[in-house]
Amino acid sequence: MKKFVAILAALIMALSCTAALADDVVIVATNPEYPPFEYVEGDATIGYDIDMFDAIAKKAGFEYVIEPMAFDAVVSAVATNPNTVGLSGISITDERKMSVNFSEGYINAGLVVIVKADSDYETADQLAGKMIGVQQGTTSDFAAEEITGMDNVARFNTFLNAVMELSQGKIDAVIIDKPVGQAIMASLNDPTLVMVDMGLQADWYGIAVNKDNPELLEKINTALAELEAEGFFDELAVKYFGGEEAAE
């Protein structure tokens, strides 16, 4: 019921904002609790995704406004409003493609696992039956359920909350997108935690676009291609990941 209410509230917000905005102003639905991709600093929403979309908007010649909401409401908001896009580290999945279109993938943020440094977890098989923390509604959530079973997945509002629970020994592992894991590990600087690559799936992020707005999708894809050719994503990688996670 809580999830339904959150989604309904997000849709009402998106629709009401659309009525007050010009038709050529794009609403960017995002969950700004996902550093380094989108997060709040002071009164501003900033991050990798925000920098990228700002560059896209300048190239494509449109204005935009940021609308914060719960992550699991973003795709629903896009599907309901032709002038809304979803920009929130959203993995391109077949399930989500049923509701929205996606831009070309802009970064491959494959899944990794954070565990206690004194654990012996090296493979996904060793996590079967263990309590795994994830951010609710993400591809990490789905991956954890396949590995350990539905009853052993601890779902949190943010990945940071999950990692904090791990650091306190309340769960056994956290499955997380690699660049987000890198940012959290660097921020916490906790020697009791390590990040392990267990060969989980690739995870391409894309911008979600309403199926009734192919013109906007084309503008976004054209701008993405131009930015890639100009080396823009290499600059973003240096800024947010120290150069380790340049877009492929």
Side-chain angles (χ1 to χ4, degrees), residues 225-243:
E226 292 176 1
L227 290 170
E228 183 177 1
E230 294 167 2
F232 177 79
F233 288 101
D234 293 330
E235 296 174 8
L236 278 189
V238 171
K239 179 176 180 179
Y240 288 102
F241 312 121

mmCIF file of all heavy atoms in Angstrom, residues 225-243:
data_model
loop_
_atom_site.group_PDB
_atom_site.id
_atom_site.type_symbol
_atom_site.label_atom_id
_atom_site.label_comp_id
_atom_site.label_asym_id
_atom_site.label_seq_id
_atom_site.Cartn_x
_atom_site.Cartn_y
_atom_site.Cartn_z
ATOM 1 N N ALA A 225 25.157 10.844 -28.660
ATOM 2 C CA ALA A 225 26.183 10.453 -29.628
ATOM 3 C C ALA A 225 27.208 11.570 -29.826
ATOM 4 O O ALA A 225 28.423 11.321 -29.908
ATOM 5 C CB ALA A 225 25.528 10.085 -30.958
ATOM 6 N N GLU A 226 26.731 12.798 -29.881
ATOM 7 C CA GLU A 226 27.644 13.928 -30.044
ATOM 8 C C GLU A 226 28.535 14.102 -28.821
ATOM 9 O O GLU A 226 29.740 14.359 -28.943
ATOM 10 C CB GLU A 226 26.840 15.206 -30.310
ATOM 11 C CG GLU A 226 26.123 15.217 -31.651
ATOM 12 C CD GLU A 226 25.265 16.455 -31.856
ATOM 13 O OE1 GLU A 226 25.252 17.326 -30.943
ATOM 14 O OE2 GLU A 226 24.596 16.564 -32.903
ATOM 15 N N LEU A 227 27.955 13.967 -27.639
ATOM 16 C CA LEU A 227 28.737 14.111 -26.413
ATOM 17 C C LEU A 227 29.799 13.019 -26.303
ATOM 18 O O LEU A 227 30.935 13.272 -25.877
ATOM 19 C CB LEU A 227 27.804 14.065 -25.203
ATOM 20 C CG LEU A 227 26.883 15.273 -25.032
ATOM 21 C CD1 LEU A 227 25.842 15.001 -23.946
ATOM 22 C CD2 LEU A 227 27.682 16.526 -24.689
ATOM 23 N N GLU A 228 29.436 11.810 -26.692
ATOM 24 C CA GLU A 228 30.417 10.722 -26.652
ATOM 25 C C GLU A 228 31.570 10.996 -27.605
ATOM 26 O O GLU A 228 32.740 10.796 -27.256
ATOM 27 C CB GLU A 228 29.745 9.405 -27.002
ATOM 28 C CG GLU A 228 30.671 8.200 -26.913
ATOM 29 C CD GLU A 228 29.977 6.898 -27.181
ATOM 30 O OE1 GLU A 228 28.763 6.899 -27.458
ATOM 31 O OE2 GLU A 228 30.652 5.849 -27.122
ATOM 32 N N ALA A 229 31.254 11.476 -28.805
ATOM 33 C CA ALA A 229 32.289 11.775 -29.793
ATOM 34 C C ALA A 229 33.209 12.895 -29.325
ATOM 35 O O ALA A 229 34.397 12.922 -29.675
ATOM 36 C CB ALA A 229 31.634 12.153 -31.123
ATOM 37 N N GLU A 230 32.680 13.785 -28.519
ATOM 38 C CA GLU A 230 33.465 14.920 -28.028
ATOM 39 C C GLU A 230 34.288 14.585 -26.788
ATOM 40 O O GLU A 230 35.039 15.430 -26.290
ATOM 41 C CB GLU A 230 32.522 16.087 -27.698
ATOM 42 C CG GLU A 230 31.822 16.660 -28.929
ATOM 43 C CD GLU A 230 30.679 17.592 -28.565
ATOM 44 O OE1 GLU A 230 30.463 17.815 -27.347
ATOM 45 O OE2 GLU A 230 29.998 18.100 -29.481
ATOM 46 N N GLY A 231 34.146 13.375 -26.256
ATOM 47 C CA GLY A 231 34.897 12.988 -25.066
ATOM 48 C C GLY A 231 34.282 13.450 -23.762
ATOM 49 O O GLY A 231 34.931 13.419 -22.713
ATOM 50 N N PHE A 232 33.015 13.847 -23.810
ATOM 51 C CA PHE A 232 32.348 14.372 -22.621
ATOM 52 C C PHE A 232 32.272 13.331 -21.511
ATOM 53 O O PHE A 232 32.449 13.650 -20.333
ATOM 54 C CB PHE A 232 30.944 14.853 -23.000
ATOM 55 C CG PHE A 232 30.125 15.356 -21.850
ATOM 56 C CD1 PHE A 232 30.324 16.627 -21.330
ATOM 57 C CD2 PHE A 232 29.135 14.559 -21.276
ATOM 58 C CE1 PHE A 232 29.566 17.100 -20.273
ATOM 59 C CE2 PHE A 232 28.372 15.022 -20.220
ATOM 60 C CZ PHE A 232 28.591 16.292 -19.713
ATOM 61 N N PHE A 233 32.006 12.077 -21.871
ATOM 62 C CA PHE A 233 31.849 11.043 -20.852
ATOM 63 C C PHE A 233 33.172 10.700 -20.173
ATOM 64 O O PHE A 233 33.188 10.301 -19.010
ATOM 65 C CB PHE A 233 31.199 9.804 -21.452
ATOM 66 C CG PHE A 233 29.739 10.003 -21.760
ATOM 67 C CD1 PHE A 233 29.316 10.264 -23.057
ATOM 68 C CD2 PHE A 233 28.797 9.979 -20.749
ATOM 69 C CE1 PHE A 233 27.977 10.470 -23.336
ATOM 70 C CE2 PHE A 233 27.453 10.189 -21.012
ATOM 71 C CZ PHE A 233 27.044 10.439 -22.314
ATOM 72 N N ASP A 234 34.271 10.872 -20.888
ATOM 73 C CA ASP A 234 35.580 10.690 -20.247
ATOM 74 C C ASP A 234 35.797 11.762 -19.176
ATOM 75 O O ASP A 234 36.347 11.490 -18.109
ATOM 76 C CB ASP A 234 36.698 10.752 -21.289
ATOM 77 C CG ASP A 234 36.664 9.572 -22.247
ATOM 78 O OD1 ASP A 234 36.217 8.486 -21.818
ATOM 79 O OD2 ASP A 234 37.064 9.744 -23.405
ATOM 80 N N GLU A 235 35.354 12.981 -19.471
ATOM 81 C CA GLU A 235 35.467 14.060 -18.488
ATOM 82 C C GLU A 235 34.604 13.772 -17.260
ATOM 83 O O GLU A 235 35.029 14.009 -16.124
ATOM 84 C CB GLU A 235 35.046 15.385 -19.127
ATOM 85 C CG GLU A 235 35.934 15.839 -20.278
ATOM 86 C CD GLU A 235 35.392 17.075 -20.969
ATOM 87 O OE1 GLU A 235 34.407 17.656 -20.453
ATOM 88 O OE2 GLU A 235 35.935 17.454 -22.024
ATOM 89 N N LEU A 236 33.391 13.266 -17.483
ATOM 90 C CA LEU A 236 32.519 12.918 -16.363
ATOM 91 C C LEU A 236 33.132 11.802 -15.519
ATOM 92 O O LEU A 236 33.029 11.809 -14.289
ATOM 93 C CB LEU A 236 31.144 12.467 -16.868
ATOM 94 C CG LEU A 236 30.114 13.524 -17.225
ATOM 95 C CD1 LEU A 236 28.766 12.871 -17.479
ATOM 96 C CD2 LEU A 236 29.982 14.579 -16.134
ATOM 97 N N ALA A 237 33.762 10.836 -16.192
ATOM 98 C CA ALA A 237 34.375 9.727 -15.467
ATOM 99 C C ALA A 237 35.483 10.220 -14.545
ATOM 100 O O ALA A 237 35.611 9.778 -13.407
ATOM 101 C CB ALA A 237 34.923 8.699 -16.450
ATOM 102 N N VAL A 238 36.273 11.150 -15.040
ATOM 103 C CA VAL A 238 37.339 11.717 -14.212
ATOM 104 C C VAL A 238 36.750 12.476 -13.028
ATOM 105 O O VAL A 238 37.206 12.360 -11.890
ATOM 106 C CB VAL A 238 38.236 12.651 -15.049
ATOM 107 C CG1 VAL A 238 39.210 13.407 -14.154
ATOM 108 C CG2 VAL A 238 38.990 11.854 -16.101
ATOM 109 N N LYS A 239 35.691 13.232 -13.286
ATOM 110 C CA LYS A 239 35.076 14.054 -12.242
ATOM 111 C C LYS A 239 34.442 13.209 -11.138
ATOM 112 O O LYS A 239 34.592 13.508 -9.946
ATOM 113 C CB LYS A 239 34.021 14.968 -12.865
ATOM 114 C CG LYS A 239 33.301 15.869 -11.857
ATOM 115 C CD LYS A 239 32.337 16.819 -12.555
ATOM 116 C CE LYS A 239 31.613 17.715 -11.561
ATOM 117 N NZ LYS A 239 30.684 18.665 -12.246
ATOM 118 N N TYR A 240 33.742 12.135 -11.525
ATOM 119 C CA TYR A 240 32.957 11.393 -10.539
ATOM 120 C C TYR A 240 33.543 10.041 -10.124
ATOM 121 O O TYR A 240 33.225 9.530 -9.054
ATOM 122 C CB TYR A 240 31.539 11.176 -11.062
ATOM 123 C CG TYR A 240 30.730 12.452 -11.073
ATOM 124 C CD1 TYR A 240 30.516 13.163 -12.256
ATOM 125 C CD2 TYR A 240 30.210 12.975 -9.899
ATOM 126 C CE1 TYR A 240 29.781 14.336 -12.262
ATOM 127 C CE2 TYR A 240 29.485 14.158 -9.887
ATOM 128 C CZ TYR A 240 29.273 14.833 -11.070
ATOM 129 O OH TYR A 240 28.563 16.009 -11.069
ATOM 130 N N PHE A 241 34.403 9.444 -10.986
ATOM 131 C CA PHE A 241 34.950 8.134 -10.650
ATOM 132 C C PHE A 241 36.461 8.069 -10.737
ATOM 133 O O PHE A 241 37.036 6.989 -10.732
ATOM 134 C CB PHE A 241 34.366 7.069 -11.592
ATOM 135 C CG PHE A 241 32.879 7.127 -11.746
ATOM 136 C CD1 PHE A 241 32.309 7.322 -12.987
ATOM 137 C CD2 PHE A 241 32.046 6.999 -10.658
ATOM 138 C CE1 PHE A 241 30.934 7.393 -13.149
ATOM 139 C CE2 PHE A 241 30.667 7.069 -10.789
ATOM 140 C CZ PHE A 241 30.118 7.261 -12.039
ATOM 141 N N GLY A 242 37.119 9.201 -10.861
ATOM 142 C CA GLY A 242 38.570 9.175 -10.990
ATOM 143 C C GLY A 242 39.044 8.534 -12.268
ATOM 144 O O GLY A 242 40.181 8.083 -12.373
ATOM 145 N N GLY A 243 38.163 8.480 -13.274
ATOM 146 C CA GLY A 243 38.554 7.950 -14.577
ATOM 147 C C GLY A 243 38.352 6.466 -14.727
ATOM 148 O O GLY A 243 38.585 5.900 -15.777
#
